[in-house]
Amino acid sequence: MSKNVKVIVVLLLLNLFLGNAQNKVPVYLDDKKPIDQRVEDALSRMTTAEKIAMIHAQSKFSSPGVPRLGIPENWMTDGPHGIRTEVLWDEWVQAGWTNDSCIAFPALTALSATWNKELASLYGKSIGEEARFRNKNVLLGPGVNIYRTPLNGRNFEYMGEDPFLTSKMVVPYIKGVQSNGVAACVKHFALNNQETNRNAVNVIVDDRALYEIYLPAFKAAVQEGDAWAIMGSYNKYKGQHCCHNEFLLNDILRGEWGFKGVVISDWGGVHDTKQAIHNGLDMEFGSWTNGLTWGNSNAYDNYYLAKPYSDMIKSGEVGTKELDEKVRRILRLSFLTNMNKDRPFGSFGTKEHADAGLKIAEEGIVLLQNKNNILPIDLSKTKKIAVIGENAIKMMTVGGGSSSLKARYEITPLEGLKKRIGSQAEIVYARGYVGDPTSNYNGVIAKVSLEEKRSPAELTAEALKVAKDADVVLFIGGLNKSPNQDDEGHDRKELELPYNQDQLIQELVKVNKNLVFVNISGNAVAMPWVKEVPGIVQGWFLGTESGNALAAVLVGDVNPSGKLTFTFPVKLTDNGAHALGEFPGGDEVKYNEGIFVGYRWADKQKIKPLFAFGHGLSYTTFEYGKVIADKKQMSVGDQITFSVKVKNTGSREGAEIVQLYISDLKSSLPRPVKELKGFEKISLKAGEEKTVTFTIDKTALSFFDDKKHDWVAEPGTFEALIGASSTDIKSKVSFSLQ
């Protein structure tokens, strides 16, 4: 046989062998097969022990796969503002990696304040790429709990007080994350609206408020965003912890909404094996069981869904039906993420991601007050700028709980201002007050030491001296991520600014009336000096590019276009949760305000807020025309379209957020005066005019009838209101539902 013939025979035999091997590829490894078939095939090959292992953690942030079958581990990472630094297997301390410094994106309060759905998509895509590059297949975020009170320490992680706005912003975020083959784990389901006693408090809320206020964003995440995972919350509802809550997980999430994804516990949120088996939980993380404490390692076999579950199966107390359902959902997650060979590789810590964060930060900053056009700072006429306040130099990417980050870099406000202004004007800094002298948070060392030996009197004297002869004073203060401020695990104690900032601001404005207050926070604060301070800016926690974004807005390189997504009350009792005396409660908390949350409460009580929901100014001006409806009547299966012309009447380009509210003029049940049912962000050149249209159907007119346990759109007369905020209504038009 010639050499060439031998080669051909070998190739034929090899081809035959490979062909047979291809035909024998297990179904679960064949990505051309439907996922349901692959799941069932993999499940049929697993032992009970392998299944039990898969439904609980093996380390702080991972759960086992099935090595024998080539099914990989699941790796979680905290979000939702950046990819958490690597920690040790059994401990929260940093693992000491040198290549895990992420891009810190703006907090979700800043994202929602953009009112820009395209930026929500960009945010999700960018953070998803970072998670993918770090080989995480579940991002623990975004958070969509509703802003019920300005004292909730975790509000900065969420998207505001309105369920419609949150729903519209969360869907593109989820799709952006999951385009990378990384699951978005939407949290915290549900009613997690306080940190005080968060592991035990039982929430008492009526069904109308539950369905109209607290559930819509989760429903949108599931049905419109196709979220692959949901995280349960720590608190109780109907006396059951939410991580294994029969009504929330079985009846609503899976029953009413058809959720097919994985339910993951919050870390330590599981409390009962039987409830965890039967009430919809799939994966248990972070529990401290059998007397094990935070310091113990290898506690995982003692988790509620580990050995206790296995023992119950062996004794015959429970079967394996529920176990198989849990594993089916986890396998589906794996096939969508870390077993999807076509998912992209991602990228990490890139300029592209930093630029995305910068764009989001710039659009999220809100100009709240601008008397005498004190902003933007005119550098041609300004020789000296006094920058005062600890938050001008304090790193805000660290602290605050699980969203604390080890950022690749962070530009502080003072750095950003110096970089942008350069030699055009002199910048003089004074600290003014000491808030948090901590310079080391979980291994991240602040670039500027915050230790301070001077007395409060000395700091005040220095600030007043610096401010007195400046052309403009920038007071950069607000909250921080210390306990009892914007911080997981702690609620705020009061609405007022901490560290005697109010007193310092009042003294500063006496020596220099050209004062701008920049509020760095994720929460509303009281402003008793609001009439004396001409310029007020809501600066949020803006991430890696924080200082550059703030500087760009303050000097006018960027025209501010953000608007508030929650109401700033004048005082706490202007908020429904506090007016009715139920925050934070004790072993239980009653949501006595019901559906009247945020601007709904202010409208109902005819309370003038400090700054209204939807409020935000610009360096240009906009003129609204009269809203027009394309018809006067609509039927239940019909749609109606509203249009309004908006013109930029100023001298520079700007963006305006046009808001549609619907008012039900007569209803069988109490309803809010108006509710947000549409919004559009439009960019207009100087002198340019555009027509904005909104199309709605009966869902925009419906309320939840708890007696019928259904959504109802009652025939009658309605009004469509077009506004620049919830209190700045430009025009309205009546229509009827037949």
Side-chain angles (χ1 to χ4, degrees):
M1 189 182 294
S2 69
K3 184 177 180 181
N4 287 342
V5 172
K6 287 180 180 179
V7 170
I8 291 171
V9 169
V10 169
L11 289 173
L12 286 171
L13 290 170
L14 183 60
N15 187 57
L16 180 64
F17 172 78
L18 290 174
N20 288 335
Q22 184 68 28
N23 291 334
K24 293 178 181 177
V25 169
V27 172
Y28 77 94
L29 290 176
D30 187 350
D31 61 4
K32 294 182 176 59
K33 298 287 186 182
I35 281 183
D36 287 348
Q37 289 185 25
R38 298 176 68 193
V39 166
E40 291 305 318
D41 184 57
L43 186 68
S44 70
R45 300 167 186 268
M46 293 174 62
T47 66
T48 299
E50 287 170 336
K51 294 174 186 177
I52 289 287
M54 211 173 194
I55 64 173
H56 65 84
Q58 65 175 358
S59 75
K60 282 286 182 281
F61 284 101
S62 71
S63 62
V66 187
R68 180 178 62 85
L69 299 177
I71 297 171
E73 301 168 324
N74 288 294
W75 276 90
M76 321 280 162
T77 181
D78 269 318
H81 311 133
I83 308 308
R84 186 171 181 156
T85 182
E86 296 296 331
V87 299
L88 296 176
W89 188 263
D90 283 323
E91 299 176 42
W92 291 110
V93 298
Q94 285 191 28
W97 290 22
T98 57
N99 59 350
D100 59 346
S101 298
C102 68
I103 293 298
F105 295 92
L108 291 188
T109 43
L111 171 64
S112 61
T114 70
W115 296 61
N116 188 330
K117 289 162 275 195
E118 292 181 1
L119 286 187
S121 177
L122 175 64
Y123 194 127
K125 175 179 177 292
S126 301
I127 197 171
E129 286 171 348
E130 298 240 333
R132 170 64 186 98
F133 188 88
R134 289 267 297 279
N135 204 28
K136 313 298 182 183
N137 69 312
V138 179
L139 176 75
L140 303 175
V144 295
N145 293 97
I146 292 297
Y147 188 110
R148 178 180 176 244
T149 159
L151 298 193
N152 180 11
R154 217 164 177 182
N155 278 334
F156 72 98
E157 293 187 40
Y158 303 139
M159 296 189 182
E161 72 188 25
D162 187 77
F164 180 86
L165 174 62
T166 303
S167 298
K168 293 302 178 185
M169 293 297 287
V170 74
V171 168
Y173 180 110
I174 292 166
K175 290 182 176 179
V177 170
Q178 294 184 169
S179 67
N180 295 281
V182 174
C185 183
V186 184
K187 61 187 189 182
H188 304 89
F189 190 66
L191 301 166
N192 189 184
N193 305 111
Q194 66 184 66
E195 292 299 284
T196 304
N197 197 26
R198 66 176 182 173
N199 292 291
V201 67
N202 186 45
V203 175
I204 309 296
V205 62
D206 64 73
D207 280 0
R208 277 198 71 194
L210 180 70
Y211 276 84
E212 291 189 23
I213 304 296
Y214 298 103
L215 293 186
F218 289 104
K219 183 179 181 181
V222 169
Q223 295 189 336
E224 299 173 43
D226 188 27
W228 295 338
I230 293 283
M231 180 186 286
S233 62
Y234 282 126
N235 52 284
K236 294 178 182 177
Y237 170 62
K238 291 184 181 291
Q240 285 185 342
H241 280 94
C242 292
C243 284
H244 36 73
N245 188 288
E246 183 176 16
F247 186 66
L248 288 176
L249 300 181
N250 287 345
D251 295 351
I252 297 178
L253 182 64
R254 300 201 192 281
E256 295 180 17
W257 300 348
F259 180 60
K260 296 179 180 179
V262 173
V263 174
I264 299 171
S265 76
D266 205 340
W267 269 230
V270 183
H271 299 267
D272 184 274
T273 297
K274 283 190 177 180
Q275 289 185 16
I277 292 170
H278 295 289
N279 292 352
L281 179 67
D282 296 314
M283 303 181 80
E284 177 186 5
F285 277 83
S287 294
W288 313 102
T289 58
N290 284 6
L292 296 167
T293 61
W294 286 72
N296 287 91
S297 297
N298 299 317
Y300 312 105
D301 287 343
N302 294 294
Y303 276 22
Y304 293 99
L305 287 181
K307 190 175 183 296
Y309 191 4
S310 180
D311 288 345
M312 291 172 71
I313 292 173
K314 289 174 183 176
S315 70
E317 186 176 349
V318 297
T320 58
K321 176 185 175 183
E322 293 83 6
L323 176 61
D324 286 348
E325 284 299 314
K326 298 177 194 301
V327 176
R328 280 189 180 96
R329 292 189 280 261
I330 297 168
L331 287 169
R332 178 178 179 269
L333 175 73
S334 291
F335 291 138
L336 289 168
T337 59
N338 53 19
M339 290 188 73
N340 175 8
K341 68 178 182 60
D342 294 324
R343 67 176 182 153
F345 289 101
S347 53
F348 188 71
T350 64
K351 183 180 185 303
E352 181 183 26
H353 292 165
D355 289 344
L358 176 62
K359 174 67 173 170
I360 294 160
E362 290 173 344
E363 282 204 29
I365 293 169
V366 185
L367 179 60
L368 294 176
Q369 184 161 286
N370 196 24
K371 294 178 181 178
N372 306 319
N373 292 322
I374 190 171
L375 292 174
I377 298 170
D378 187 347
L379 293 176
S380 67
K381 300 177 180 178
T382 303
K383 296 181 179 180
K384 186 175 183 180
I385 300 171
V387 177
I388 297 170
E390 181 179 279
N391 284 357
I393 60 170
K394 181 175 172 58
M395 290 175 63
M396 293 295 184
T397 57
V398 299
S402 60
S403 64
S404 182
L405 300 170
K406 183 170 80 171
R408 186 163 186 173
Y409 66 93
E410 177 181 351
I411 306 297
T412 64
L414 183 60
E415 288 177 312
L417 286 164
K418 286 182 174 180
K419 177 182 174 184
R420 169 59 185 86
I421 293 170
S423 60
Q424 290 181 271
E426 180 187 5
I427 295 177
V428 183
Y429 174 72
R431 184 166 181 172
Y433 68 92
V434 176
D436 184 355
T438 305
S439 298
N440 182 328
Y441 187 91
N442 194 24
V444 178
I445 309 298
K447 62 176 72 177
V448 176
S449 174
L450 296 177
E451 293 182 6
E452 184 61 70
K453 295 180 180 179
R454 290 173 293 175
S455 68
E458 289 175 301
L459 292 171
T460 298
E462 180 193 37
L464 293 174
K465 181 181 178 181
V466 164
K468 191 172 184 178
D469 61 350
D471 296 304
V472 63
V473 179
L474 299 177
F475 186 95
I476 302 178
L479 308 180
N480 56 40
K481 293 183 177 179
S482 300
N484 301 122
Q485 297 204 38
D486 286 311
D487 176 54
E488 179 187 0
H490 307 88
D491 288 321
R492 296 170 65 195
K493 299 294 187 183
E494 56 194 6
L495 187 63
E496 288 71 27
L497 287 170
Y499 315 128
N500 291 317
Q501 291 178 74
D502 287 327
Q503 181 180 347
L504 179 57
I505 291 169
Q506 288 167 333
E507 291 187 38
L508 285 168
V509 79
K510 290 177 183 176
V511 301
N512 193 327
K513 295 188 180 302
N514 294 323
L515 178 66
V516 176
F517 171 63
V518 180
N519 185 43
I520 306 298
S521 79
N523 255 314
V525 299
M527 299 181 187
W529 32 260
V530 65
K531 293 180 180 178
E532 285 75 48
V533 174
I536 303 175
V537 174
Q538 179 58 33
W540 313 115
F541 300 119
L542 297 176
T544 283
E545 287 284 332
S546 174
N548 289 336
L550 274 170
V553 168
L554 292 172
V555 304
D557 296 339
V558 169
N559 193 349
S561 63
K563 296 204 175 191
L564 293 180
T565 63
F566 51 81
T567 303
F568 273 56
V570 174
K571 57 186 183 299
L572 265 184
T573 51
D574 289 349
N575 172 279
H578 297 276
L580 300 181
E582 280 285 353
F583 181 88
D587 291 334
E588 67 178 28
V589 58
K590 295 179 181 178
Y591 288 17
N592 290 326
E593 72 280 10
I595 60 173
F596 297 100
V597 174
Y599 68 89
R600 291 165 169 81
W601 175 262
D603 284 350
K604 179 177 185 286
Q605 301 299 122
K606 297 181 180 178
I607 295 171
K608 183 180 179 182
L610 181 66
F611 295 109
F613 173 84
H615 170 73
L617 304 176
S618 171
Y619 294 149
T620 189
T621 53
F622 300 98
E623 182 180 271
Y624 283 67
K626 185 172 177 57
V627 59
I628 299 171
D630 68 345
K631 63 185 75 169
K632 292 295 183 181
Q633 297 178 349
M634 64 180 288
S635 61
V636 170
D638 202 1
Q639 293 182 326
I640 186 169
T641 297
F642 307 102
S643 59
V644 62
K645 291 182 178 180
V646 181
K647 184 176 182 179
N648 183 344
T649 54
S651 59
R652 62 176 293 173
E653 183 177 0
E656 173 68 332
I657 299 160
V658 185
Q659 300 157 45
L660 168 70
Y661 296 87
I662 297 293
S663 180
D664 187 348
L665 298 184
K666 187 177 181 181
S667 172
S668 61
L669 292 179
R671 299 199 68 179
V673 173
K674 61 180 178 293
E675 295 181 281
L676 182 73
K677 295 298 178 183
F679 63 90
E680 202 64 46
K681 189 167 193 174
I682 56 168
S683 181
L684 295 168
K685 295 182 174 63
E688 185 180 8
E689 182 179 78
K690 288 182 180 178
T691 298
V692 180
T693 61
F694 300 100
T695 299
I696 65 167
D697 59 22
K698 71 168 186 175
T699 59
L701 313 179
S702 301
F703 61 87
F704 189 81
D705 188 327
D706 54 351
K707 300 287 192 298
K708 298 177 180 178
H709 196 80
D710 200 4
W711 290 89
V712 174
E714 289 181 336
T717 303
F718 296 81
E719 282 183 339
L721 303 93
I722 296 293
S725 79
S726 64
T727 59
D728 186 9
I729 302 301
K730 302 297 186 180
S731 69
K732 59 186 178 181
V733 63
S734 296
F735 65 99
S736 63
L737 175 68
Q738 301 299 308

